[in-house]
């Protein structure tokens, strides 16, 4: 981790800006490569993440890792993974607009430091809090958008794929678009066995 990211991490780990701080075991800062071409944004840490202190380590995370692997991506070499909020909401409820707003400066700073070419938004919550409340994941997934001069690909959240496996086929098409764009913008030599 570079010095700027380490400094930010220290600050985020000490955050008490909202009520989610009271019941957390860990602040989940996020992880991956500091200068990743792709920054992945989820919703919020769940139970497993709160216990371990790392993002996407439960069932959703295992599925996410499988999808990334099929794209030839790993957490340590290609992506940085973060969330809209860094602490677990009770009962895994969706973060409130206020919680999301209070936590947003941390995510914005991460985006600035990582400086990714591509943002992947996982699910409805990431889409709405990044792009606006009128956005709809079912309508917009798989379609490139832009956010402050960066390309954005909204995709279904892995938890949605676990609930409804029939969504996996469309989702794979969405991730293929990300691989093609990654070759275009980041590394033309990027290898994936499946794309
Ligand atoms: N779901 C999310 O949105 N984020 C995580 O870190 C884990 C599960
Ligand atoms: N609903 C969600 O919250 N997320 C999805 O990815 C799909 C439906």
């Amino acid at each position: 981790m570079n010095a700027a990211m380490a400094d930010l991490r220290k600050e985020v780990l000490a955050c008490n800006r909202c009520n989610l701080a009271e019941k957390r075991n860990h602040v989940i800062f996020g992880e991956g490569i500091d200068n990743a071409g792709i920054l992945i944004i989820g919703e919020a840490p769940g139970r497993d993440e709160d216990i371990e202190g790392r993002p996407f380590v439960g069932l959703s995370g295992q599925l996410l890792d499988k999808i990334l692997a099929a794209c030839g991506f790993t957490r340590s070499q290609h992506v940085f993974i973060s969330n809209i909020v860094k602490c677990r909401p009770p009962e895994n409820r969706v973060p409130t607009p206020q919680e999301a707003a209070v936590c947003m400066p941390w995510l914005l700073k991460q985006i600035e430091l990582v400086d990714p070419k591509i943002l992947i938004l996982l699910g409805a919550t990431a889409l709405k809090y990044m792009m606006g409340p009128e956005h709809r994941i079912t309508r917009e997934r798989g379609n490139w958008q832009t956010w402050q001069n960066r390309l954005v690909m909204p995709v279904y959240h892995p938890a949605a794929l676990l609930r409804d496996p029939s969504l996996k086929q469309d989702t794979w098409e969405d991730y293929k678009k990300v691989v093609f764009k990654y070759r275009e913008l980041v590394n033309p030599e990027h290898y994936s066995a499946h794309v």
Side-chain angles (χ1 to χ4, degrees), residues 129-171:
Y129 284 139
M130 289 302 291
M131 306 299 289
E134 72 281 12
H135 288 258
R136 295 288 176 271
I137 191 70
T138 49
R139 192 169 64 213
E140 297 173 33
R141 55 136 282 272
N143 294 301
W144 288 110
Q145 306 192 17
T146 57
W147 178 89
Q148 298 192 359
N149 289 323
R150 298 179 202 279
L151 281 173
V152 168
M153 176 56 74
V155 298
Y156 287 124
H157 193 287
L161 306 180
L162 291 170
R163 284 193 301 268
D164 181 359
S166 74
L167 300 177
K168 285 183 180 177
Q169 209 168 357
D170 281 346
T171 299

Side-chain angles (χ1 to χ4, degrees), residues 165-182:
S166 74
L167 300 177
K168 285 183 180 177
Q169 209 168 357
D170 281 346
T171 299
W172 179 236
E173 297 305 315
D174 303 346
Y175 279 92
K176 279 201 251 180
K177 292 180 185 174
V178 173
V179 174
F180 295 137
K181 193 60 77 178
Y182 187 88

Side-chain angles (χ1 to χ4, degrees), residues 13-116:
L13 262 48
C15 181
N16 279 304
R17 291 181 186 179
C18 84
N19 53 314
L20 297 182
E22 288 160 27
K23 289 183 178 161
R24 73 182 178 218
N25 289 300
H26 286 100
V27 179
I28 289 72
F29 177 71
E31 68 181 25
I33 178 168
D34 279 349
N35 59 349
I38 301 174
L39 195 146
I40 300 174
I41 303 174
E43 174 175 319
R47 182 173 162 276
D48 299 307
E49 291 76 24
D50 180 56
I51 292 169
E52 281 201 41
R54 296 177 53 215
F56 284 97
V57 291
L59 288 175
S60 287
Q62 289 165 30
L63 178 53
L64 178 63
D65 281 339
K66 269 170 55 178
I67 297 169
L68 293 177
C71 296
F73 297 139
T74 62
R75 295 189 188 207
S76 56
Q77 292 177 286
H78 305 91
V79 304
F80 192 93
I81 303 179
S82 193
N83 279 298
I84 293 291
V85 297
K86 309 289 187 256
C87 300
R88 182 196 184 199
E91 316 300 328
N92 296 342
R93 63 165 173 73
V94 175
T96 64
Q98 196 194 349
E99 288 159 354
V102 167
C103 208
M104 187 55 74
W106 299 135
L107 181 57
L108 296 181
K109 188 74 188 176
Q110 287 178 322
I111 296 171
E112 184 190 322
L113 291 179
V114 174
D115 195 18

